[in-house]
Amino acid sequence: MQGLPRYIFETTSMILCSLSHICNTNRQYRSEKWKLRFNASKCKVMHLGEKNTKHTYKMLEADHRLNLEETAEEKDLGVWVDNQLKFTHHSAQAVAKANQILGLIRRSFTYLDRQIMRQLFQALVRPHLEYGNVVWNPTYKKDVAMVESVQRRATRLVPGMKDLSYKERLRVMGMLSLIYRIQRGDVIEVYKYMHGIHKVGRQLN
């Protein structure tokens, strides 16, 4: 805040201190109400926005204030998100897990026909690539290709289909591309919200 008039600097500092006090008060109230103590050493701060002033946040811990650690990416409810609200890291983690399970399937079965491979993929592999996709829906081409590569690999493991194109393999196995399924899921969710199937605080116009 160098170069600002003194009264603006003092006012801004007072606002930041007040906000920090309010946050600490609310956390303490919820902690006492729910009988759940916050562990300040496990709490972190993620600053969002290029012009973020990156204010230092503190939390009461054993009668003293502890500075909260800053983090660039964090996992919440199974989904990784970074301070730029991008989900490339989550896409990579989901693809790695899916490929790991796909490799286990390939080593565990001496023969995989179309039906067995489709059932195994849908039950064991695909859930890792579609969990929480309403939140982390891949938008970058590299992320889309990375997610789709898992199903490309899976369809090539079926005997007699290695030389077919990806679209032909999907048609023969009766499957849809992962990206199409994700986009279709988004449309379904929008329909549910617009028609009151999902209850929200106020109706969408």
Side-chain angles (χ1 to χ4, degrees):
M1 298 182 180
Q2 295 180 355
L4 291 176
R6 183 176 180 84
Y7 73 92
I8 295 180
F9 176 81
E10 292 178 350
T11 303
T12 304
S13 299
M14 290 174 61
I15 293 174
L16 291 176
C17 291
S18 299
L19 289 175
S20 180
H21 175 71
I22 293 173
C23 290
N24 283 326
T25 302
N26 289 338
R27 283 193 297 266
Q28 185 176 0
Y29 170 75
R30 292 195 300 269
S31 177
E32 294 175 355
K33 180 180 178 181
W34 297 338
K35 306 301 181 182
L36 295 172
R37 291 184 57 84
F38 284 99
N39 190 339
S41 61
K42 293 183 178 181
C43 295
K44 299 180 181 180
V45 174
M46 180 182 293
H47 298 288
L48 304 177
E50 296 180 356
K51 297 182 179 180
N52 194 299
T53 57
K54 296 186 178 182
H55 180 69
T56 301
Y57 292 91
K58 301 181 179 182
M59 183 179 290
L60 294 176
E61 178 75 13
D63 298 330
H64 69 277
R65 292 181 177 273
L66 181 67
N67 290 341
L68 298 184
E69 178 184 354
E70 181 181 352
T71 180
E73 60 183 11
E74 203 65 32
K75 184 179 182 180
D76 186 29
L77 297 178
V79 178
W80 285 92
V81 61
D82 62 19
N83 55 5
Q84 296 182 347
L85 297 181
K86 296 180 180 179
F87 300 93
T88 299
H89 179 69
H90 178 81
S91 299
Q93 291 291 326
V95 168
K97 183 64 176 180
N99 276 323
Q100 182 181 7
I101 297 176
L102 189 60
L104 180 62
I105 292 174
R106 181 176 59 83
R107 293 189 298 270
S108 301
F109 290 81
T110 57
Y111 179 78
L112 290 169
D113 60 18
R114 300 171 187 175
Q115 182 178 359
I116 295 176
M117 187 65 215
R118 182 173 63 248
Q119 291 177 347
L120 289 173
F121 184 84
Q122 292 175 351
L124 302 178
V125 180
R126 196 166 68 188
H128 293 281
L129 300 172
E130 294 187 345
Y131 172 78
N133 56 34
V134 175
V135 176
W136 66 272
N137 187 350
T139 54
Y140 294 101
K141 290 183 178 180
K142 62 177 183 178
D143 294 341
V144 171
M146 181 170 53
V147 171
E148 200 69 50
S149 66
V150 181
Q151 189 164 266
R152 288 178 180 271
R153 178 190 173 197
T155 54
R156 282 198 298 264
L157 296 178
V158 179
M161 298 184 59
K162 186 175 181 181
D163 296 330
L164 298 178
S165 66
Y166 181 47
K167 290 184 178 181
E168 291 175 338
R169 295 197 301 271
L170 291 179
R171 179 180 56 81
V172 172
M173 295 186 65
M175 300 171 63
L176 300 172
S177 69
L178 293 175
I179 300 305
Y180 176 83
R181 284 179 53 83
I182 292 175
Q183 293 174 347
R184 184 183 66 176
D186 288 344
V187 174
I188 293 174
E189 289 298 317
V190 172
Y191 176 87
K192 289 180 179 180
Y193 278 110
M194 297 297 294
H195 291 79
I197 299 175
H198 285 331
K199 303 300 181 182
V200 293
R202 58 186 179 86
Q203 294 295 327
L204 298 176
N205 297 322

